[in-house]
Amino acid sequence: MRTLSFWSGIVCAMLCGLVDPVWGYAAVFALSLIQLSMLGSSGGSVFLLIHYATILTYFSIAPAVQISHDVDFWEAGVMRTDAYTQALMLLLLYMAGVEAARLGVPDAPEHLPGRHDRRLVGVAHPLLLLLSCSLAAFASLFIKPELNFVARGIVGGAGGEDNVPIDFIFYSTLPKLVVLLCFVALAIHAVRRRTLWSWCAAALAFGLALAAANPVNTARQVLLIGLLPLLIHGLGRGRRWLLAGVIFGSIAGLGPVLNLISRGSMWGEELTTFPFSQDFDAMFVVAGILERAPIPDLGWGRYLLSAFSFFLPRDLKMFPDFDPLGWSAILGNFSQSNLSLPPFTTAYFDFGLAGPALFGFAISAGFRMVDRAIDPNRPLSGAYLSALVLLAAYVPFMRGPILGWGPFAASGLIAALVAGALSSRARRPLPRTVRHGLPSA
């Protein structure tokens, strides 16, 4: 039933988009709500839940309202209707690819949640975990304190661009996410143990996390990659509507507020609320590039490779000529040079209309393996925390693999491995000795 409703909804959204892109995005909104409702049963795919919550947040109501109000972002002017229609079709092809990878595969995981022995689950040496992570995190802020106020990197002098993203990962982003993942591990431990010591350790870790993840440092990404794993762990299999609502509310409601605090206090940037905030301009940028840039040659993967080398300076990027955000036609028409581009659009430049569908298929097939790792009763480990981080990273990844996403995704995985290495099974049960009775006469 869910599969039938999806493909029917895709056809309806495509037909509505051909008439008016506003109606097409409204149809995507309705389709996402329907799919979320059908994924509401416990045990369904966590990836699909986050996928449709992300579509609901960035790719449905926001572009529909922006198109209907002729919004002008980044001084790029008003886009033509056909550009918005083409952008919508790329989104629908990506969504179709995501669902195509699920054909014939049950949404419920192969394992049965709750079968693990709860006595094997815990954190070894919580004090060591807390102190070692927090010490490393806050010490790094004294080494390069200026990176605490750099959100997307800075341009160097005459010698070219400084490789700030790499520094940003190791001196600012990674330490903060180590603290946040430390809190995630200790909070999971506290929920399972329910002892005074475990709750105190989690509370102290939460206080350190608040101090580390300040609003100046692109707090939405820190919250997504650092704290969303905890919500996925707690709500991923049950209370699924609550998890979807938290994702939507924290980005659409809290995101613009945090950006107003950080950008407004430092640069005087004025941001309005969702959906007119400049953080919800993903499809606006897609339409602007499709409208203004010439049709490029097929890259056969080089556009994607260039996009995913986001952490390198432009002169070291893989295939810099295949970076759509670096084309003169783009830089000359947008007032911002750090635009983000959803990856399904980059796949379109590589493989034509088949690109978004193939990309969605590959992403969904990969997350099928991640889904199997999401079991709320699974012992804490680096692999389990990394699976949670990967699911959380999907939200900003869909927004666009720019510097604001890359360091947080990379740092989140490293932090998960660090926290998982310091976490272990608290106590292995001793093998029970079976006493055999003496033989009777």
Side-chain angles (χ1 to χ4, degrees):
M1 182 63 183
R2 192 188 71 81
T3 303
L4 178 62
S5 68
F6 170 80
W7 293 107
S8 301
I10 280 288
V11 173
C12 291
M14 186 171 295
L15 294 176
C16 291
L18 292 175
V19 176
D20 190 330
V22 175
W23 295 0
Y25 284 110
V28 170
F29 175 79
L31 176 60
S32 299
L33 285 179
I34 293 173
Q35 293 302 301
L36 284 173
S37 66
M38 292 186 173
L39 287 169
S41 60
S42 179
S45 168
V46 180
F47 163 68
L48 287 180
L49 178 76
I50 298 177
H51 167 71
Y52 284 111
T54 307
I55 296 294
L56 198 71
T57 306
Y58 283 116
F59 303 97
S60 60
I61 291 298
V65 175
Q66 292 164 6
I67 297 171
S68 62
H69 285 75
D70 290 333
V71 172
D72 176 12
F73 281 148
W74 307 123
E75 301 177 5
V78 178
M79 308 299 172
R80 296 196 309 266
T81 301
D82 56 345
Y84 276 119
T85 302
Q86 185 178 359
L88 172 64
M89 295 305 156
L90 298 184
L91 171 65
L92 295 178
L93 287 172
Y94 175 78
M95 295 174 64
V98 169
E99 284 290 344
R102 297 280 170 169
L103 289 175
V105 178
D107 291 329
E110 294 180 358
H111 63 74
L112 296 177
R115 292 296 299 274
H116 298 289
D117 191 343
R118 289 179 179 271
R119 292 178 298 175
L120 297 179
V121 179
V123 176
H125 308 297
L127 184 61
L128 175 63
L129 174 67
L130 184 62
L131 292 181
S132 60
C133 292
S134 59
L135 180 63
F138 288 101
S140 66
L141 298 181
F142 289 96
I143 298 176
K144 286 199 172 185
E146 71 277 4
L147 291 177
N148 194 37
F149 302 97
V150 177
R152 299 173 186 269
I154 59 176
V155 178
E161 293 185 3
D162 293 334
N163 200 359
V164 173
I166 297 295
D167 294 338
F168 189 48
I169 289 176
F170 288 100
Y171 293 105
S172 181
T173 313
L174 177 59
K176 288 176 171 58
L177 285 167
V178 167
V179 173
L180 283 164
L181 262 297
C182 171
F183 164 65
V184 171
L186 291 175
I188 294 174
H189 171 72
V191 170
R192 289 169 174 170
R193 293 298 179 186
R194 300 183 185 278
T195 62
L196 178 61
W197 159 242
S198 64
W199 285 115
C200 290
L204 180 56
F206 180 68
L208 293 176
L210 288 179
N214 57 79
V216 175
N217 203 307
T218 52
R220 282 181 306 106
Q221 282 91 337
V222 175
L223 291 172
L224 286 171
I225 309 300
L227 298 182
L228 188 54
L230 183 63
L231 295 173
I232 296 172
H233 170 83
L235 308 175
R237 293 295 182 201
R239 300 185 178 90
R240 302 170 68 77
W241 271 105
L242 180 58
L243 177 58
V246 167
I247 295 174
F248 180 87
S250 61
I251 300 174
L254 187 59
V257 174
L258 292 176
N259 274 292
L260 181 62
I261 295 174
S262 61
R263 296 182 182 180
S265 61
M266 295 183 64
W267 297 290
E269 182 71 42
E270 294 183 0
L271 296 174
T272 52
T273 57
F274 174 85
F276 298 106
S277 170
Q278 293 176 345
D279 291 302
F280 298 92
D281 61 347
M283 298 309 288
F284 182 92
V285 175
V286 174
I289 290 179
L290 294 175
E291 179 181 271
R292 287 167 168 77
I295 300 298
D297 297 329
L298 293 181
W300 306 115
R302 287 176 287 187
Y303 292 100
L304 281 172
L305 288 175
S306 181
F308 291 153
S309 59
F310 46 79
F311 52 86
L312 297 174
R314 184 169 297 279
D315 55 351
L316 296 179
K317 286 176 71 70
M318 299 180 186
F319 308 107
D321 294 337
F322 289 84
D323 178 17
L325 299 178
W327 294 339
S328 58
I330 303 304
L331 296 177
N333 283 277
F334 286 87
S335 62
Q336 294 290 316
S337 59
N338 60 348
L339 299 171
S340 60
L341 192 63
F344 59 82
T345 308
T346 311
Y348 163 72
F349 293 135
D350 273 318
F351 304 101
L353 290 177
L358 292 173
F359 188 78
F361 188 94
I363 292 293
S364 185
F367 271 110
R368 274 166 48 189
M369 296 183 291
V370 177
D371 266 336
R372 298 190 185 101
I374 304 305
D375 182 350
N377 293 317
R378 177 161 294 191
L380 289 180
S381 65
Y384 178 62
L385 289 175
S386 295
L388 296 178
V389 170
L390 279 175
L391 283 169
Y394 180 77
V395 180
F397 171 73
M398 278 292 289
R399 176 67 178 82
I402 58 174
L403 186 58
W405 170 81
F408 288 98
S411 302
L413 290 174
I414 297 173
L417 291 174
V418 171
L422 294 174
S423 305
S424 66
R425 301 179 180 183
R427 188 178 293 110
R428 295 179 182 271
L430 296 176
R432 297 195 315 177
T433 303
V434 180
R435 300 182 62 184
H436 299 283
L438 295 176
S440 57

